[in-house]
Amino acid sequence: MKDGDTNLDSFDISHDLRYRAPFIKAALATAGAGNFTLFASPWSPPAWMKSNHDMLHGGELETQYYDCWARYFCKFIRAYAKQGIPIWGVTVQNEPMAVQTWESCNFTAAQERDFVKNDLGPELRRHGLKKTKIIVWDHNRSFMYEYGSTILEDPAAAKYVWGVGFHWYVGDHFENVQWVKDAFPKTHLLFTEGCVSNFDGALLGDWHWGETYAVSMVHDFNNGAEGWTDWNVLLDTNGGPNHVGNFCFAPIHADTKTGTLYFMNSYYYIGQFSKYIRPGAKRIISSSSTDNLSTTAFINPDRSIAVVVLNVTDKTEPFHLWMHGRAADTLSPAHSIMTLVMK
């Protein structure tokens, strides 16, 4: 888009049509109609809209461009819809408190609140995009209550907000997820990004990657999260491509020379949730009587109950799955995850 084009006349998504749109369409086709939820997260407005005139290194969206940036969102959503790619929701800004060497933009909680209240929310409605979900924060659990409450305590902003998104990169802070849920019970909570960084291809097979995912998923779900998103679907065996060398692990890596796919154990750990806990499931109480096992449980729309049991210790742990006075005797091997389904 041309610098200074506040009418957005030069807006287009031609860059996306080369690789990104075909990849998303392939995922949509594989998942099947209605089975794929896609949300978009901006990392930076165009440089000319920002205080530092740079898409990198933080900076802020200039207030005179709030309306223009909101209309940009609408243009983007409609352009993708024309390609047959429905955007279910948007986050306001990826990691609004991070100044990065890559694309980034800073919003204070008050700035994000005002942008949602005065610009993004109203613009989506004016363009017939009321059903597009708005997700605020989209950064680490550590400040999600403080930041989120600034927005959600303002009724004029909160009426546009579907939920609070969060990441895992600074500490666990699982209690903050619960605090947001307790304080704002009608607000949805979504884990919007997580990956393991500090890539070393020699460590592709390390078992603890899957356990890292599962520990987070169990605790996030038990504290009120309704969904959980890994950052990368597929990376090469260098942990990229990445234009700033921020190489990462993904559940699947590909050797781009041979076409060989490497499924990390995190792929299968995630599958213990995604395969058995179906869209529309409701979390139910599941409590472990031993510190060696963690658990979460859901009741699916077909009334089946899925119970995930995680063991990250070096000890094999016998246990009983107990419900309504009936128990099943089973065993959790050391460093294992299992899902028990009752129909």
Side-chain angles (χ1 to χ4, degrees):
M1 192 170 71
K2 294 180 180 179
D3 288 1
D5 178 14
T6 56
N7 290 326
L8 306 181
D9 294 328
S10 56
F11 174 91
D12 75 86
I13 60 167
S14 56
H15 177 271
D16 297 17
L17 299 181
R18 187 176 182 186
Y19 297 118
R20 184 176 294 133
F23 183 83
I24 295 172
K25 287 181 180 180
L28 286 166
T30 300
N35 294 321
F36 192 88
T37 300
L38 182 68
F39 65 90
S41 181
W43 285 41
S44 176
W48 56 268
M49 293 187 186
K50 296 175 62 182
S51 60
N52 64 346
H53 306 293
D54 183 2
M55 290 185 69
L56 317 181
H57 311 109
E60 297 182 353
L61 176 66
E62 297 276 17
T63 55
Q64 65 264 34
Y65 296 122
Y66 274 27
D67 172 68
C68 183
W69 186 228
R71 287 185 283 111
Y72 188 107
F73 273 74
C74 298
K75 282 266 193 179
F76 172 85
I77 295 166
R78 287 197 175 280
Y80 264 62
K82 287 181 180 178
Q83 294 297 319
I85 302 174
I87 302 295
W88 168 85
V90 293
T91 79
V92 178
Q93 169 63 44
N94 175 70
E95 299 188 345
M97 290 183 67
V99 177
Q100 303 285 20
T101 57
W102 51 83
E103 291 79 0
S104 48
C105 183
N106 300 131
F107 279 82
T108 67
Q111 287 170 332
E112 188 162 318
R113 176 199 64 203
D114 293 345
F115 176 64
V116 168
K117 175 172 60 176
N118 299 323
D119 299 284
L120 182 58
E123 282 296 333
L124 288 175
R125 294 196 176 191
R126 273 195 288 270
H127 286 80
L129 299 171
K130 181 180 178 180
K131 291 185 178 180
T132 304
K133 309 297 190 287
I134 295 177
I135 301 168
V136 300
W137 182 225
D138 196 22
H139 206 163
N140 295 316
R141 298 186 194 97
S142 50
F143 288 105
M144 65 182 291
Y145 178 82
E146 179 183 358
Y147 196 103
S149 62
T150 297
I151 300 168
L152 296 172
E153 287 174 352
D154 184 337
K159 70 180 183 181
Y160 295 115
V161 175
W162 176 84
V164 177
F166 60 96
H167 304 175
W168 69 358
Y169 299 110
V170 179
D172 288 334
H173 308 293
F174 296 116
E175 67 279 3
N176 286 343
V177 182
Q178 183 66 57
W179 290 342
V180 175
K181 191 64 178 177
D182 288 345
F184 308 99
K186 294 182 180 180
T187 299
H188 305 273
L189 302 178
L190 179 64
F191 186 92
T192 46
E193 181 192 313
C195 79
V196 180
S197 56
N198 301 317
F199 184 84
D200 181 348
L203 302 177
L204 276 175
D206 277 15
W207 197 255
H208 73 278
W209 300 135
E211 292 185 345
T212 298
Y213 277 79
V215 167
S216 176
M217 295 175 81
V218 165
H219 287 89
D220 284 332
F221 287 137
N222 284 343
N223 283 289
E226 299 176 23
W228 208 96
T229 313
D230 180 79
W231 187 19
N232 301 293
V233 177
L234 174 67
L235 296 176
D236 63 27
T237 49
N238 294 317
N242 189 290
H243 65 300
V244 291
N246 184 29
F247 300 119
C248 304
F249 286 91
I252 309 172
H253 287 266
D255 186 326
T256 55
K257 295 180 179 179
T258 66
T260 303
L261 294 178
Y262 298 93
F263 292 84
M264 293 180 63
N265 70 324
S266 55
Y267 172 86
Y268 298 101
Y269 269 71
I270 293 170
Q272 290 291 325
F273 299 85
S274 62
K275 184 175 181 179
Y276 302 107
I277 301 169
R278 305 307 303 152
K282 303 292 184 182
R283 188 175 63 85
I284 58 177
I285 292 173
S286 178
S287 176
S288 174
S289 60
T290 171
D291 291 339
N292 291 336
L293 301 179
S294 300
T295 179
T296 190
F298 288 78
I299 183 166
N300 287 310
D302 66 359
R303 308 307 294 172
S304 64
I305 294 174
V307 182
V308 179
V309 178
L310 174 66
N311 183 348
V312 299
T313 74
D314 296 327
K315 177 184 177 183
T316 295
E317 186 76 26
F319 71 98
H320 289 84
L321 180 65
W322 189 285
M323 183 188 301
H324 299 312
R326 301 177 66 185
D329 186 15
T330 187
L331 195 70
S332 172
H335 296 285
S336 71
I337 187 171
M338 65 174 68
T339 305
L340 301 100
V341 180
M342 293 164 283
K343 298 185 177 180

